[in-house]
């Protein structure tokens, strides 16, 4: 959700029960403004909150002019002091994929797990190696995964300029009611992956300046989104079932839209059983 | 205005009269083509859309000369009039488009070209004359149309075959046309302007008109024209005044077009869409109204009698400090909905239990306790008992010959009485505040046991069947009720000392070993330090009964009863004894008011997290308790007050992924023993020996005896 309109966004996203306490809100409004100034972001998003056992991580993201460019992620434990997270790499993903369970809330906490590694000295032997993963690394990797999987934006809110970069569409007036009820009106807020694999026939109907991202409707598994109209059609709420805790809200026919993640930072791999 | 047209017409007639005569003669001579004549009147009427008409002209050009007057015959003056301007109009576009050099030298074709050019001016003339009768002519419109004509003539001239004019004449002609155009456009009878001073600016003017005519040309696909589109865009830009209009001009253009395209569709859709918006608003309006009316009538009574309504807003305020809860307006609506519930049912105590998220709709859950003796009975009789009856009938009705299946379903465990155990409270749910409250059925142990093994999302519709393995006995309302029971049992906590065991329950305790079942508020509760609550989990206690693995809160021993039933049939009793021990060890859980510090830990994950709501102002902060076992369950305590709330998907947390239960063990085959195995057939020697023995016993009746024996032996086989 946009840091500039944080209060309205929080109110809109409150249907899932996760909000911010007044003191957190106030401190975010103050500190995100400073973050924007210090890091020279063109836009700052309040990304959400990852619930730890001891304390919570508050996550914010800074966007540059090009909205699809890699985003900078910051975290904070007290909503005032923000630290920049390193960009996520493949290696981190592999490392942290072994770690299960809840976050602790301490960035320097070490997760330990044993791994069988091949040691090719003479005979082929397997050796148990204790691997340590810092929680910060895990945090980076999880945020990246969530961003790639479920960060969404309504169709038309961004547009591709003739020069390539993706900008906010200032004339975006919100989806109409009928569009707001369809998953095809929402896009993944990331570089397209599936779009390149589409056939020419499928691409024929797309508007190149608007449809440059992947649509939600082809997500796997089908039914990984719950789409609801709340407050008597005045608000669309999308909840990710794959990453429970991610809530996207959009008031049809207005510009108000955004997403927030409040959850444990764990993927729901039981989804097929639960549908 | 009518006055203005008449002179105009006259004026045009007069100059044309002299020059037009030769044309008239020529055309009259060759006027045999009836078709163009018939087609002309309509063409002249739809002059603004005259596009196709001139197009058809070039091919006809040789005949045209003759054909046009046919249409013009009724009023020869009018048809002749165009002849002077007919050539001139063609020149200015030429000059503009820079094609002048191409034109000269083709004087011989002037005659053929003129008929093409003739029509537009004539049309121009006609309209005012026709319009003079019915309505005042619109100068602007006719001007535009005339320009359109010019444009068309221009385009025709690019085709090589019809080239209009001599280079020698253009200036004179131009002057002529200009005068003509001027007369048409802005002729004022009061002060006729001299034609000559107009000449210089009007080139530019005509260029502008041409351009405008081009802009006004409507697209054949969409029916839009660029002129209107641009003006709409500018209107939009001026209306909205976006920051960097130049950057987003493409989008504005698209939006303007979109509006034009989808207007009709939108209104159709929106009307349908809006209905449901209004519908829920209408329903919620009753909430607010009902509050007013009831408040006025029953204010006194309510205040005197104990009010069952909880102070939702107060606890919502505290939960907001904790960063949990719904939006303010939604909370208030729920508050009103609870008031509606307490007003319509005999409710002694009511509480906002929480919200369970669903795929299509959510559930708002209210926990209520009915007044003594006034509970409304719901006729939902449990399935398990019926199942038991059916089996006993089957046993009685056996046919004797073929063995009946000896499998007996495990003894169904009866559900707990209302007001006890897991059915202590009654739960009402609704999808949205304002919609009707639905009472959930009471929960059976089987449902709880099964619900522990499955993990399903709620859909938001209570009658949805739960398709799962193992099969769930009931639909979504039962599953919802089972999950509510489990969540309540796990996460309803209170600060130590708030509740105490009732005096009279002490005696019962000895009888039912499971622990005391009821508690009451401690009148001497003096509050507890918030810091203590945060620092030590042992200051929080469960005030909901633990649910045993059996699915009940109070132990029910299934064995004695089953033995009584089976006394008739000894064999079966023995079988059961082989399988199960004589008595099942009683399942015991933690008793009521056990501190949560004794809760089981899951794989390095503590089951509870406590926190101060604010580190900045700790003296006024409240203690917040969060369940890690049931994500979404919260409790707060500010020292004196406490409340529990659940908002979430209704699922238990486990660090490992969900594993479906293993399939039940396959039944053993009957062991191979003497009842199953058979002897070999009797051999001849045996039979002979037997016969010899028989003969020895009964020597008298040899023949008959042997026959019978043989038969018997065969039967035995």
């Amino acid at each position: 959700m946009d840091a500039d309109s944080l209060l309205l966004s929080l109110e809109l996203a409150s249907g899932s029960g996760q909000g911010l306490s007044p003191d957190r809100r106030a401190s975010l409004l103050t500190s995100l403004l400073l973050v924007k100034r210090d890091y020279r972001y063109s836009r700052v998003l309040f990304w959400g909150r990852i619930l730890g056992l001891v304390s919570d991580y508050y996550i914010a993201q800074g966007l540059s002019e090009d909205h699809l460019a890699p985003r900078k992620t910051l975290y904070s434990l007290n909503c005032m002091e923000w630290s920049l997270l390193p960009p996520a790499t493949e290696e981190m993903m592999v490392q942290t994929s072994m770690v299960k369970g809840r976050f602790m809330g301490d960035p320097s906490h070490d997760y330990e797990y044993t791994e069988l590694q091949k040691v090719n000295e003479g005979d082929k032997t397997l050796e148990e190696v204790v691997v340590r993963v810092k929680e910060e690394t895990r945090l980076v990797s999880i945020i990246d995964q969530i961003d790639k999987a479920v960060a969404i934006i309504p169709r038309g809110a961004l547009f591709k300029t003739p020069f390539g970069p993706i900008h906010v569409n200032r004339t975006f007036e919100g989806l109409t009611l009928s569009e707001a009820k369809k998953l095809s009106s929402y896009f993944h807020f990331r570089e397209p992956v599936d779009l390149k694999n589409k056939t020419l026939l499928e691409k024929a109907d797309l508007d190149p300046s608007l449809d440059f991202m992947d649509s939600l409707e082809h997500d796997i598994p089908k039914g990984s989104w719950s789409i609801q109209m709340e407050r008597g059609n005045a608000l669309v709420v999308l909840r990710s079932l794959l990453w429970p805790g991610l809530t996207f809200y959009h008031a049809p026919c207005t510009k108000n839209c955004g997403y927030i993640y409040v959850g444990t930072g764990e993927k729901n791999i039981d989804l097929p059983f639960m549908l | 205005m009518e006055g203005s047209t008449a002179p105009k017409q006259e004026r045009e007639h007069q100059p044309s009269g002299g020059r037009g005569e030769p044309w008239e003669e020529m055309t009259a001579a060759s006027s045999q083509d009836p078709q163009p004549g018939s087609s002309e009147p309509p063409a002249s009427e739809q002059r603004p859309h005259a596009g196709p008409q001139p197009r058809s002209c070039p091919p006809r050009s040789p005949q045209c000369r003759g054909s046009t007057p046919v249409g013009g015959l009724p009023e020869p003056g009018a048809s002749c009039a165009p002849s002077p301007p007919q050539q001139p109009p063609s020149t200015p576009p030429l000059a503009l488009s820079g094609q002048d050099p191409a034109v000269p030298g083709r004087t011989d074709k002037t005659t053929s070209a003129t008929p093409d050019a003739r029509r537009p001016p004539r049309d121009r003339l006609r309209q005012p004359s026709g319009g003079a009768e019915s309505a005042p002519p619109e100068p602007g419109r006719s001007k535009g149309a005339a320009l359109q004509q010019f444009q068309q003539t221009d385009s025709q001239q690019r085709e090589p075959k019809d080239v209009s004019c001599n280079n020698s004449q253009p200036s004179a002609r131009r002057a002529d046309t200009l005068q003509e155009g001027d007369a048409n456009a802005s002729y004022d009878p009061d002060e006729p302007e001299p034609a000559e001073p107009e000449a210089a600016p009007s080139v530019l003017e005509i260029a502008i008109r041409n351009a405008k005519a081009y802009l006004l040309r409507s697209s054949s696909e969409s029916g839009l024209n660029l002129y209107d589109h641009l003006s709409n865009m500018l209107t939009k830009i001026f209306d909205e005044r976006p920051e960097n209009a130049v950057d987003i001009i493409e989008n504005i253009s698209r939006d303007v077009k979109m509006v034009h395209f989808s207007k009709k569709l939108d209104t159709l859709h929106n009307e349908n869409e809006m209905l449901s918006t209004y519908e829920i608003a209408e329903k919620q309006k009753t909430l607010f109204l009902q509050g007013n009316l009831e408040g006025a009538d029953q204010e006194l009574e309510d205040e005197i009698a104990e009010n069952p309504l909880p102070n939702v807003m107060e606890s919502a305020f505290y939960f907001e400090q904790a960063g949990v809860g719904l939006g303010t307006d939604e909370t208030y609506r729920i508050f009103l909905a609870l008031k509606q519930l307490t007003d319509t049912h005999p409710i002694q105590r009511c509480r906002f239990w929480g919200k369970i998220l669903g795929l299509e709709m959510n559930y708002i859950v209210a926990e209520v306790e009915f007044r003594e003796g006034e509970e409304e009975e719901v006729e939902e009789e449990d399935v398990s008992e019926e199942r038991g009856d059916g089996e006993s009938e089957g046993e009685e009705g056996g046919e004797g010959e073929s063995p009946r299946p000896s499998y007996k379903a495990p003894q169904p465990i009866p559900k707990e009485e209302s007001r006890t155990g897991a059915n202590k409270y009654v739960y009402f749910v609704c999808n949205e505040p304002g919609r009707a409250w639905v009472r959930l059925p009471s929960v059976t142990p089987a449902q709880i046991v099964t619900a522990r093994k499955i993990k399903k999302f709620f859909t938001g519709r209570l009658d949805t069947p739960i398709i799962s393995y193992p099969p769930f006995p009931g639909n979504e309302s039962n599953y919802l009720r089972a999950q509510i029971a489990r969540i309540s049992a796990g996460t309803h906590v209170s600060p130590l000392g708030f509740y105490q065991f009732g005096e009279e329950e002490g005696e019962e305790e000895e009888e039912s070993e499971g622990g005391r079942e009821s508690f009451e508020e401690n009148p001497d509760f003096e509050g507890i330090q918030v810091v203590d609550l945060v620092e030590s989990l042992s200051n929080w206690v469960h005030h909901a009964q633990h649910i045993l693995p059996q699915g009940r809160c109070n132990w029910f021993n299934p064995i004695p009863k089953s033995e009584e039933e089976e006394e008739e049939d000894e064999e079966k009793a023995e079988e059961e004894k082989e399988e199960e021990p004589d008595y099942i060890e009683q399942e015991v859980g933690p008793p009521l008011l056990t501190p949560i510090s004794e809760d089981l830990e899951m794989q390095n994950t503590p089951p509870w997290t406590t926190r101060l709501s604010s580190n900045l102002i700790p003296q006024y902060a409240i203690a917040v308790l969060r369940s890690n076992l049931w994500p979404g369950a919260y409790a707060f305590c500010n020292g004196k007050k406490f409340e529990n709330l659940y908002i979430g998907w209704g699922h238990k947390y486990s660090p490992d992924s969900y594993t479906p239960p293993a399939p039940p063990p396959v039944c053993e085959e009957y062991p191979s023993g003497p009842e199953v195995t058979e002897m070999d057939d009797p051999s001849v020697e045996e039979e002979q020996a037997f016969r010899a023995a028989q003969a020895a016993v009964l020597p008298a009746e040899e023949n008959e005896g042997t026959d019978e024996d043989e038969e018997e032996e065969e039967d035995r086989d």
Side-chain angles (χ1 to χ4, degrees), chain A:
Chain A
M1 54 180 62
D2 217 331
D4 300 334
S5 56
L6 188 69
L7 293 186
L8 175 67
S9 309
L10 282 175
E11 179 69 18
L12 289 178
S14 62
S16 309
Q18 302 293 355
L20 287 174
S21 58
D23 62 325
R24 297 294 188 204
R25 274 186 228 176
S27 47
L28 279 179
L29 282 179
T30 309
S31 63
L32 288 182
L33 209 59
L34 295 179
V35 163
K36 188 174 175 182
R37 184 197 64 183
D38 294 343
Y39 290 89
R40 305 194 180 172
Y41 295 134
S42 75
R43 203 173 153 206
V44 175
L45 301 179
F46 178 60
W47 186 86
R49 177 153 78 113
I50 290 187
L51 307 174
L53 291 177
V54 181
S55 57
D56 299 345
Y57 293 103
Y58 294 83
I59 316 288
Q61 279 185 331
L63 299 185
S64 60
E65 275 301 322
D66 183 359
H67 275 68
L68 275 196
R71 281 161 262 184
K72 304 279 177 12
T73 309
L74 303 107
Y75 77 92
S76 167
L77 292 170
N78 59 4
C79 288
M80 283 315 286
E81 293 143 8
W82 294 88
S83 349
L84 196 62
L85 285 172
T89 58
E90 282 292 319
E91 189 192 355
M92 283 183 183
M93 196 91 87
V94 175
Q95 270 186 351
T96 55
S97 62
M98 296 296 295
V99 183
K100 279 185 182 175
R102 298 279 303 267
F103 279 86
M104 295 305 293
D106 171 16
S108 56
H109 178 262
D110 273 344
Y111 295 99
E112 288 182 6
Y113 66 94
T114 54
E115 197 176 54
L116 291 179
Q117 283 188 345
K118 274 185 188 171
V119 182
N120 285 329
E121 292 172 6
D123 301 332
K124 287 175 187 171
T125 51
L126 291 177
E127 198 172 290
E128 283 193 356
V129 178
V130 178
V131 181
R132 286 170 181 271
V133 180
K134 268 184 88 175
E135 182 155 288
E136 197 178 16
T137 318
R138 189 183 170 205
L139 188 67
V140 170
S141 147
I142 288 288
I143 292 174
D144 188 54
Q145 284 182 48
I146 294 178
D147 251 355
K148 287 203 170 130
V150 289
I152 54 180
I153 192 123
R155 179 176 185 271
L158 297 181
F159 79 105
K160 196 171 200 164
T161 53
F163 306 107
I166 315 295
H167 282 193
V168 176
N169 185 355
R170 285 208 192 84
T171 58
F172 177 62
E173 305 245 305
L175 302 169
T176 62
L177 267 177
S178 53
E179 284 171 337
K181 288 179 179 171
K182 294 181 209 149
L183 271 188
S184 54
S185 314
Y186 302 94
F187 288 139
H188 284 286
F189 194 6
R190 55 152 185 197
E191 288 287 340
V193 179
D194 301 333
L195 201 62
K196 297 163 198 156
N197 305 332
K198 284 196 170 179
T199 60
L200 279 178
L201 197 63
E202 287 168 318
K203 279 184 191 168
D205 292 338
L206 302 181
D207 183 340
S209 66
L210 292 184
D211 301 304
F212 52 89
M213 291 183 285
D214 290 334
S215 155
L216 280 194
E217 63 179 337
H218 300 298
D219 277 12
I220 297 172
K222 274 217 179 328
S224 51
W225 290 96
S226 141
I227 186 162
Q228 283 191 24
M229 304 299 292
E230 289 189 2
R231 305 186 187 187
N233 282 358
L235 184 68
V236 199
V237 176
L238 267 79
R239 297 195 176 94
S240 172
L241 306 181
L242 196 59
W243 290 93
L246 187 116
T247 309
F248 170 86
Y249 59 88
H250 175 50
C253 303
T254 69
K255 286 182 187 181
N256 300 324
C257 61
Y259 62 92
I260 184 172
Y261 180 85
V262 182
T264 58
E266 286 169 296
K267 192 176 183 176
N268 178 16
I269 49 180
D270 307 335
L271 183 61
F273 294 109
M274 300 170 73
L275 289 174

Side-chain angles (χ1 to χ4, degrees), chain A residues 11 14-25 49 51-56 100-102 159 162 169-171 173 176-178 181 207 209-210 226-228 230-233 239 241 244 266 268-271 273-275, chain B residues 240 243-244 248 251-252 254-255 269 273-274 276-277 280 320-330 355 357-362 432 455-457 605-606 609 611 613-614 626 628 634 647 649 651 653 655-658 660:
Chain A
E11 179 69 18
S14 62
S16 309
Q18 302 293 355
L20 287 174
S21 58
D23 62 325
R24 297 294 188 204
R25 274 186 228 176
R49 177 153 78 113
L51 307 174
L53 291 177
V54 181
S55 57
D56 299 345
K100 279 185 182 175
R102 298 279 303 267
F159 79 105
N169 185 355
R170 285 208 192 84
T171 58
E173 305 245 305
T176 62
L177 267 177
S178 53
K181 288 179 179 171
D207 183 340
S209 66
L210 292 184
S226 141
I227 186 162
Q228 283 191 24
E230 289 189 2
R231 305 186 187 187
N233 282 358
R239 297 195 176 94
L241 306 181
E266 286 169 296
N268 178 16
I269 49 180
D270 307 335
L271 183 61
F273 294 109
M274 300 170 73
L275 289 174
Chain B
E240 299 177 358
E243 203 175 330
N244 299 326
I248 56 172
N251 298 310
I252 295 177
R254 185 182 312 120
D255 282 356
H269 271 280
E273 235 75 88
M274 293 309 272
S276 59
T277 311
I280 186 69
E320 193 190 350
Q321 309 299 308
V324 199
L326 310 166
T328 319
D329 61 334
E330 189 176 355
K355 179 175 179 178
L357 303 177
L359 297 182
E360 295 161 34
M361 280 181 284
N362 305 322
E432 255 177 292
K455 199 173 178 187
K456 296 288 273 186
F457 275 120
T605 311
T609 298
R611 179 164 313 168
S613 66
S614 169
R626 185 162 82 201
N628 296 326
Y634 291 85
I647 302 177
W649 292 99
H651 294 137
Y653 174 80
D656 298 319
S657 54
Y658 166 77

